[in-house]
Structures are given as C-alpha cells and as structure tokens.
Amino acid sequence: MKAGVVKETAPGERRVALVPDAVTKLQASGIEVLVERGAGEGAWLTDSAYADAGATIVSGAELYRDADVILTVTKPASDAVGLLRPGQAVIGMLAPLIYPELAATLAARGVTAVSLDRMPRTLTRTQPMDALSSQANVAGYKAAVVAAAEFGRFFPLLITAAGTARPAKVLVLGAGVAGLQAIGTARRLGAVVSGYDVRPASKTEVESLGATFIELTAGVSAIGEGGYARELTAEERQAQQDELVGHIARHDVVITTAQVPGRRPPLLVTEDALKAMGAGSVIVDMGASALGGNVAGSRPGETVVTGNGITIIGADNLPASMPTAASNAYSRNIATLLDYMTSDGALAIDTSDEIQAGVVITHGGRIVNEAVTRLLPAEVNREEGSDVDGTAD
Ligand code: NAD
C-alpha cells in the first residue's frame, strides 16, 4: 500500500500530516510513503529529511495518481477533491459534522473518507490516535503564550527595585483539553488563574492545576453525549452570560475554549462583559470561527481592539502557529490509525469495529457514518452507489 502525504493548502496552514520519523515506522510495517514536494516546509521539515527516512518525493499530480491512501491534516480543498479517484482513501481531520456536503461528494466519487476528529475518545486504546486532544493541547499552550505576549503587564508577581508588579488575573472559560493546558501554562507563567466549565467533572481538574474553579449560582450543568458538553437552552445561556459578566470584569486576561461538537461555539463573553472589562485587557478566543465565537465581535484570524481598549484575538487555528509540535503529535495520531486500519498490506474497512465506526465516514460509494447521514437530505445515500453495501468490507 502507498500512503501519500499532501502539502496542505488552507491559508495559514503550516502543519504536515506525517513527519519523517513516522515514515520510517510505516515503511517497517510495509507501507510505502510518497511525500508531495515541499509538504513539510511549513514545519521546517525538508524533502531531503523525508527522502532520508525512506519516502519518495513526488509532485501533487503523481501523489493523487499513485497513492492508495492520501494523508492530510485538514479537509482537502475542492481542486484536490477533484483529483481523488474511486477506491482511493483520504484520512485527515475532515470535520464531517461541519462539512457534511464534502462527505456526500467523497461518497459520490467512491472515495473512502476517514476522519480523525470522529475518533471515540474515551477508550484507552484510542488515546495515541486522538488528534483532537493532541491539537487542543498545542492550542491551549499557545493561547496562554499569545495572551502573555499581547498583555501590557507581567503575568507573574514581580518585586523589583523599580516597584512591585501584581500578577495578572487570567480566566479560562471552557476547561476541556485546551482549557486545562491554557490554565497550566498561564500558571507556569505566574498568573493567578481561574477556570470555568459547564461539566462539573472539570472542577477537580481545574483545581488540581492550582487554579480556582468558578461556580455559577445559576448552577448550569450540561453534560451531553460521550462526556461532551451539550448546547444550553436559551434561558440557561442567558443566565450563564449574565452571571459571567462580573467574573470576566475581575480578570485581566480571558482565554475562551468552549465548544459543543457540531454546533456553533457558545457565546460566553457578551458585549456587556466587554464593556465591563478594564482597558488593556486581553481576550484570546479559541472558539473564533466564521459562524461566530465565544466572544462578541471576535473575528477568526484577526485581532480587534474595542473602543474601550480590550484586545480580542480571534485564534482560530493556533496549532498551525506551532507547526512542528503540532505535526509531530498529529503524525503519531494518523500513523497509529493507519497502522490500526491496515491488514495484509491494504486498508481493511470494518465499521463493526468500535473505532472504525466512529472514524470511517464514507465507503463503497455511501456515507456510512450515521451522525453525518443525519445532517444530509435522505436522498443523498440513495442516489449514490445504491447498489453497493458500504457498511463493511
Ligand atoms: P471541546 O473542545 O468539545 O470543548 C471545550 C470545553 O468547552 C469542554 O470542556 C466543554 O465542556 C466546554 N463547554 C462547552 N460549552 C460550554 C459553555 N456553554 N460554557 C462553558 N464551557 C463550555 O472539549 P474537549 O477538550 O474536546 O473535551 C471534551 C470532553 O472529552 C471532556 O470531558 C474531556 O475530558 C473528554 N476527553 C476524554 C478523553 C479520554 O477519556 N481519553 C480524551 C479527550 C477528551
């Protein structure tokens, strides 16, 4: 089997799906690796490093022609989708709950789509393949570093001959993988840190990092499917937003990481909260997206300064800004999954397997993932490949 590593094309994307170390390991399992010329450049990985590890460097056209499995970080751009052929597989973070129509297109083209962001995350054996966690970990670290770099004062308590600097007060909203890493990093930089989440289980995790957990009197507890948060009702959301205003106003730096799978990010920092903050405060919105973010007025990929002097950083793709660390971790995730799904030198699709049931999105001309099917009109799976049994191979 030949696996092909693409050069990512999304604006600002500097990660690469596989690093040279993983090339050597995959070759040892009998998987030949093709690398598109310049694929690792953004992460400071040269073509010669890949060639030394045993990969063959090819053009984009050769890659799509010869590879059995295409390895990507993010979803393929539309011109790349046009190059994919029936029977070929693509493995990456394809965000099928956000782009179900891409899944429909891939199914129609007879492409097998495998999405790392649909990995079941509570099984111990999936942890080495959990790309959401590995990338969130990088993003949470970088969010705290970006906030510290933008903030006009020190994070730690500093006592010098020129006076005493009080420590920065940092609030992290959303204490999942990214939030906990942001809390830990801000603490290591010396800030006084608080954390908040709608999942009560996060209280002990926040406190174990030496931060204070904020409990709202509104007492919203919102656990959804698979241990994730659920979307709040309109009343719960209003109560949460109103009560958070006072907490946000007491802090110098706010880092927001709140996400609900498949939904637009919840708004946590409202216009009222922004008005209540002091000039010079910094907000890093990791929820920033084209659909809106956790912070009123944040814009993905942009830094906005409000009229009252609050800097809002729309940090939509922080892992791409730490491309080497993010690629190293992602490479481990994707190589482990590829190895797991390979049997007798070929990709062995079996959606009765607990892991594959999560990650395999399309196969045999059909969308085989129920969560994605639910988002599409009923006729999609009937029109495409209706004579093919796509549930298992
Ligand atoms: P995520 O990226 O989906 O969301 C980030 C955080 O935002 C979550 O903690 C969520 O509870 C929180 N959030 C959502 N809506 C909110 C709101 N309105 N207000 C405040 N906070 C809100 O989450 P994640 O980091 O991917 O983690 C999700 C869950 O998966 C967590 O329970 C985590 O511990 C769990 N997880 C488990 C494993 C494992 O068991 N191996 C691995 C990774 C993650």
Side-chain angles (χ1 to χ4, degrees):
M1 181 166 73
K2 287 183 184 165
V5 181
V6 299
K7 183 171 168 59
E8 298 293 320
T9 55
E13 186 52 76
R14 295 178 52 189
R15 290 170 291 175
V16 59
L18 213 64
V19 300
D21 265 1
V23 172
T24 316
K25 288 190 187 118
L26 287 178
Q27 307 263 43
S29 328
I31 300 170
E32 201 180 316
V33 180
L34 311 178
V35 174
E36 183 174 347
R37 197 160 287 116
E41 258 170 17
W44 315 109
L45 297 164
T46 60
D47 289 345
S48 58
Y50 283 100
D52 290 347
T56 308
I57 311 301
V58 297
S59 68
E62 288 166 329
L63 186 98
Y64 284 96
R65 189 193 64 202
D66 297 340
D68 303 300
V69 182
I70 302 286
L71 305 181
T72 73
V73 177
T74 62
K75 68 181 175 66
S78 48
D79 52 343
V81 171
L83 297 174
L84 292 166
R85 53 182 167 73
Q88 207 167 31
V90 58
I91 308 183
M93 289 196 287
L94 310 178
L97 296 186
I98 300 172
Y99 307 105
E101 62 294 340
L102 170 65
T105 308
L106 293 172
R109 295 187 71 84
V111 172
T112 297
V114 178
S115 196
L116 278 139
D117 47 11
R118 298 299 301 152
M119 181 70 66
R121 300 174 72 195
T122 45
L123 308 173
T124 309
R125 65 202 168 103
T126 58
Q127 285 178 13
M129 311 183 221
D130 185 349
L132 284 181
S133 287
S134 77
Q135 303 306 290
N137 199 39
V138 174
Y141 166 85
K142 189 65 188 272
V145 171
V146 164
E150 190 65 37
F151 189 48
R153 295 197 284 107
F154 292 108
F155 262 31
L157 167 76
L158 277 191
I159 302 169
T160 73
T164 299
R166 64 178 171 83
K169 287 192 204 140
V170 175
L171 172 61
V172 177
L173 299 175
V177 178
L180 291 173
Q181 186 55 259
I183 289 172
T185 306
R187 286 270 303 145
R188 285 192 287 274
L189 287 169
V192 173
V193 185
S194 306
Y196 164 72
D197 202 292
V198 283
R199 289 179 301 103
S202 60
K203 178 177 173 12
T204 46
E205 292 166 346
V206 167
E207 288 174 347
S208 72
L209 292 169
T212 306
F213 188 75
I214 289 182
E215 270 169 283
L216 300 189
T217 53
V220 178
S221 160
I223 315 199
E225 245 173 77
Y228 285 104
R230 65 164 168 81
E231 194 169 29
L232 302 187
T233 64
E235 295 76 45
E236 288 172 336
R237 190 162 53 237
Q238 188 66 53
Q240 183 193 55
Q241 289 171 349
D242 291 349
E243 201 173 340
L244 279 175
V245 171
H247 293 288
I248 291 166
R250 288 192 289 109
H251 289 84
D252 306 303
V253 171
V254 177
I255 298 171
T256 65
T257 77
Q259 299 280 354
V260 177
R263 308 264 174 210
R264 60 175 285 180
L267 181 68
L268 301 178
V269 182
T270 58
E271 291 285 357
D272 284 346
L274 289 173
K275 282 190 199 126
M277 293 183 87
S281 299
V282 172
I283 305 179
V284 177
D285 182 5
M286 285 177 52
S289 75
L291 301 171
N294 294 148
V295 181
S298 76
R299 287 205 287 267
E302 287 182 38
T303 297
V304 177
V305 183
T306 66
N308 62 331
I310 317 300
T311 301
I312 307 171
I313 301 169
D316 58 335
N317 191 4
L318 288 173
S321 72
M322 279 187 57
T324 314
S327 301
N328 280 336
Y330 185 76
S331 171
R332 168 104 197 279
N333 302 143
I334 200 168
T336 308
L337 177 63
L338 180 60
D339 196 37
Y340 176 78
M341 293 181 68
T342 302
S343 172
D344 295 330
L347 213 54
I349 303 297
D350 173 10
T351 50
S352 66
D353 171 81
E354 200 176 1
I355 295 175
Q356 292 208 33
V359 296
V360 179
I361 309 301
T362 68
H363 183 59
R366 294 176 66 85
I367 297 174
V368 295
N369 190 289
E370 211 182 298
V372 181
T373 311
R374 276 200 297 256
L375 298 172
L376 289 161
E379 58 274 16
V380 170
N381 253 7
R382 277 203 295 277
E383 277 171 10
E384 312 298 348
S386 53
D387 55 337
V388 184
D389 174 11
T391 53
D393 239 0

